[in-house]
Amino acid sequence: MNLHSPLLALLTFALATTAHAQNYPNKPIRLVVPFAVGGTNDIVARFIAPKLWEALGQPVVVDNRPGAGSNVGAEIVAKAVPDGYTMLIASISMAANPALYGKLNYDPGRDLTPITEIVEIPIILLVPPSLPAKSVKELIAMAKAQPGKLNYGSAGAGTVGHLGGEMFKSVSGVDITHVPYKGLAPALVDLMTGTLHLLFSDMAGPLPYVQDGKLRAMVITSVKRADALPDVPTTAEAGLPGFKASSWISMFATTGTPQSVVTKVNAETTKILHAPDLRERLTRMGFIVVGNTPAEAAAFMRAEITKWTKVVKDSGAKLD
């Protein structure tokens, strides 16, 4: 009898997993967003949540848990029961935080399982209309003429604006000073008044201000020009082919969540993302819809961790 116990245990586990998937979900799902209400991650989560609720037949509740560069919310999911009832909508900070922070209470690569990459978002370099430099080439010359005098803002340490700024410094050889804010909104206000000289951000949030002429976009980190900003050159066109970065938003489950549940949530989420109405809405806002498989999302996450670890280490940036 003992000889068969490992096989029996495996069979019991397989049956239990299958039963869990068949019954999933049978209670509300918590969708943790590790940023404040109104941010890009929050907007995307609130687009998806009601449609996922409709598809799965159970409430999908968005739970905003900002703090510590997204680590507060991410840790909640990393340490949750791995049953698929607590999931995470998070961004590029997941790839950079292990290098940025001396000590984390969780490991994004180990404790979080990617379900799907939801969207990618090109990064844009923004300046106030009053800035004398009219091109990236002129901006770099201006910065090199006065090392350390120009500043660049971001929505916070470890965000795409911070990482994009450090990559820009690396590829252009300029010395500019990082000014982290508690969110994108106050940074945009200071940029419009000229208190800030530069701001790196994903394209979605500041797009209306650029279109209204309140801010000027100098360059976009996409392969081709964005339909929403046809006059803004790509980094390659601007002479910065090494500036390759984009923000992204992915959905994660706690590692150990049954694969059948991950597969089910992935199938419903990608179906939602590729529906014409939501796809058009997201595209209009500057998002590039992805909706890939768990395996593709995991491979992408591994590559992002490698890339941003190098950027952080090269920059010397460190957070407590």
Side-chain angles (χ1 to χ4, degrees), residues 263-302:
T263 300
K264 185 172 186 175
V265 175
N266 171 273
E268 296 300 342
T269 304
T270 53
K271 191 185 300 181
I272 289 165
L273 289 171
H274 292 300
D277 58 339
L278 183 58
R279 188 182 185 88
E280 181 183 346
R281 191 174 184 183
L282 290 169
T283 301
R284 197 164 56 242
M285 293 177 67
F287 297 106
I288 300 169
V289 177
V290 181
N292 54 11
T293 67
E296 290 167 337
F300 174 76
M301 181 64 174
R302 288 192 296 271

Side-chain angles (χ1 to χ4, degrees), residues 253-264:
T254 310
T255 294
T257 299
Q259 186 58 45
S260 52
V261 171
V262 171
T263 300
K264 185 172 186 175

Side-chain angles (χ1 to χ4, degrees), residues 224-258:
K224 61 179 183 178
R225 296 193 181 199
D227 292 342
L229 297 172
D231 296 328
V232 178
T234 66
T235 49
E237 291 172 330
L240 285 174
F243 189 14
K244 296 178 180 178
S246 63
S247 184
W248 47 262
I249 297 173
S250 289
M251 180 184 286
F252 298 85
T254 310
T255 294
T257 299

